[in-house]
DNA sequence: CTAATAGTGTCTATCAGACATTATACT
DNA sequence: AGTATAATGTCTGATAGACACTATTAG
């Protein structure tokens, strides 16, 4: 019980980012090689300490997004994922980390940021399979982020954030298949996505090998009614 | 950009609790009257600073649950809700608050805790209607907690946490009606809840005015397959 | 018997999943 | 014509919502 002399403990706060994209039909996360101790040389999620005592958490997340990944956050979906504050999770002392989830369309290799010795995309499957080890408790955070993304695909228009400005329905379908890890019947998918009010709106056509595909762009709805339900066996 | 002399800013961390229960068929939240500045005399969510630099966040949440609400957290559903860290949200300085959501079955008036000058249940409708004002950004946190509870009722067995050890299907239905703010057809509700694998299991009978009701207790499943979908017009 | 509450049955419009066919381009 | 990809139609079993009846107790 605090007495009159007691003052609250002070802790350090970091912002960590789970940045997901699609590359070659696989779900990838952006990882950086740590340039300083602790865990120097190991892979970790991009992130870092608050700049100063007055920086907003969301602002700090956008700043790290730009610094470590070279991504302009303005057009990016960015959402709070959770807090990770188990004592001992960071050898430097008591560090509470606020995790954010960011979604980006397919991108080339990132320009290595100023802080990070090296930043690169890694398939989340490789991390889940234990092929890539992460510093701190970042594997836990990454798994939470991936699961959140999978769940959000059902109820929100998040999938369009994985695509470019415009996209075909097939491309949108490949997003769902990659993130959920399942195969979807194209005919039923066409019917369902077009039945969701305000999800996607037509925007011209695209030349391709074969019959030209209709192009769409994201509609006005953030929430999907009805939702696109994830099959039972999804990853 | 941090130079070699730079050290991360230190912030204070609080844990705040959204504790929900059902009283007289209405969704209520536990609020305390603040005994100290700032916001002395106003209503707020129960919560407080970390005890020390080594206290786990979840442990701190359980501690506050016991201290300020007199509730033993062992049997209680407790879940992280989010982080609230906007600069200026607390006049004492930079305070980052980790919010937790707790669900309790119907309880009598709480014994006022040691920290809180007074703790009492308030219908969340009164807060939403502006009849009760909360300190800090606690109204935002409360709203997030209520919305989370509503969403979780669809996909998890959370509703049973609002009931006692055993309950009738009618009682369970009243939980859904109160939290969602809608009326549900009892016949369809019976069919649906009994069709969900592992949601509820029979456990004797209950004497009542009229035909005795079958009693149930919570089943083993945490997640509901299929989910109980919330009607469109739910609050 | 009557009142009160618990529990079950049925009908129908809609929807999800399986599956085959037609359409439009390029070579 | 042949190939490749896009788009649409149909059938069927399951489900959600509307609705009416039977069952079991107390007084």
């Amino acid at each position: 019980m605090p007495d009159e002399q007691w003052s609250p403990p002070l802790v350090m706060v970091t912002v960590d980012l789970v940045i997901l994209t699609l590359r070659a039909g696989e779900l990838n996360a952006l990882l950086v090689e740590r340039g300083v101790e602790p865990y120097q040389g190991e892979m970790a999620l991009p992130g870092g300490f608050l700049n100063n005592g007055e920086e907003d958490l969301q602002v700090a997340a956008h700043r790290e997004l730009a610094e470590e990944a070279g991504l302009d956050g303005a057009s990016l979906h960015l959402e709070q994922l959770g807090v990770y504050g188990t004592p001992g999770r960071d050898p430097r002392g008591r560090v509470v980390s606020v995790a954010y989830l960011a979604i980006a369309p397919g991108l080339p290799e990132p320009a290595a940021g100023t802080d990070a010795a090296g930043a690169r995309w890694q398939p989340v499957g490789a991390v889940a399979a234990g092929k890539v080890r992460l510093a701190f408790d970042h594997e836990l955070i990454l798994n939470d982020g991936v699961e959140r993304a999978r769940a959000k695909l059902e109820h929100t228009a998040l999938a369009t954030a994985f695509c470019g400005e415009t996209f075909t329905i097939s491309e949108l379908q490949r997003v769902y298949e990659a993130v959920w890890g399942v195969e979807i019947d194209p005919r039923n998918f066409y019917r369902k996505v077009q039945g969701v009010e305000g999800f996607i709106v037509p925007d011209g056509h695209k030349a391709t090998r074969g019959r030209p595909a209709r192009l769409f762009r994201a509609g006005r709805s953030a929430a999907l009614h009805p939702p696109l339900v994830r099959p039972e066996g999804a990853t």
Side-chain angles (χ1 to χ4, degrees), chain A:
Chain A
M1 196 58 22
D3 65 4
E4 292 182 15
Q5 295 303 316
W6 183 85
S7 70
L10 296 170
V11 308
M12 295 175 274
V13 174
T14 59
V15 172
D16 286 322
L17 298 173
V18 177
I19 308 174
L20 300 178
T21 195
L22 246 80
R23 290 171 61 80
E26 246 192 319
L27 187 64
N28 281 50
L30 189 69
L31 300 179
V32 300
E33 188 180 331
R34 287 185 58 78
V36 297
E37 290 291 348
Y39 294 102
Q40 183 165 10
E42 296 192 30
M43 302 303 286
L45 296 176
F49 289 107
L50 289 183
N51 247 357
N52 58 66
E54 288 307 314
E55 189 179 37
D56 184 72
L57 297 173
Q58 184 103 13
V59 169
H62 273 110
R63 176 178 52 77
E64 293 290 346
L65 195 60
E67 281 182 15
E68 301 218 9
L71 300 177
D72 177 20
S75 62
L76 238 56
H77 182 92
L78 190 57
E79 163 185 329
Q80 194 182 102
L81 191 56
V83 199
Y84 298 82
T86 309
R89 63 178 288 278
D90 190 315
R92 290 167 293 191
R94 186 65 192 273
V95 176
V96 169
S97 176
V98 182
Y100 280 83
L101 176 64
I103 303 293
L107 292 167
E109 290 301 319
T114 46
D115 277 10
R120 49 180 177 273
W121 297 106
Q122 295 272 264
V124 297
V127 179
K131 291 196 172 74
V132 177
R133 301 298 293 260
L134 300 187
F136 307 107
D137 52 1
H138 284 187
E139 181 166 344
L140 173 65
I141 300 177
L142 175 60
N143 287 337
D144 287 353
V146 171
E147 173 51 33
R148 175 77 67 94
R150 285 182 177 139
K152 286 198 67 104
L153 239 52
E154 297 186 75
H155 308 285
T156 74
L158 174 61
T160 59
F162 279 102
C163 303
E165 186 74 19
T166 61
F167 47 86
T168 69
I169 293 193
S170 305
E171 288 166 358
L172 189 63
Q173 177 180 343
R174 279 191 282 272
V175 172
Y176 277 92
E177 290 180 330
V179 177
W180 283 348
V182 295
E183 289 209 338
I184 302 173
D185 184 293
R187 304 163 288 223
N188 296 333
F189 188 78
Y190 271 63
R191 179 159 38 83
K192 282 170 89 165
V193 293
Q194 302 218 50
V196 179
E197 178 91 17
F199 184 18
I200 56 175
V201 297
D203 191 14
H205 287 261
K206 179 190 191 180
T208 170
R209 178 176 178 85
R211 175 173 176 175
R214 300 172 68 189
L215 281 175
F216 295 83
R217 52 185 169 77
R220 310 201 61 173
S221 298
L224 302 188
H225 295 292
L228 292 181
V229 188
R230 176 164 37 158
E232 292 282 334
T235 312

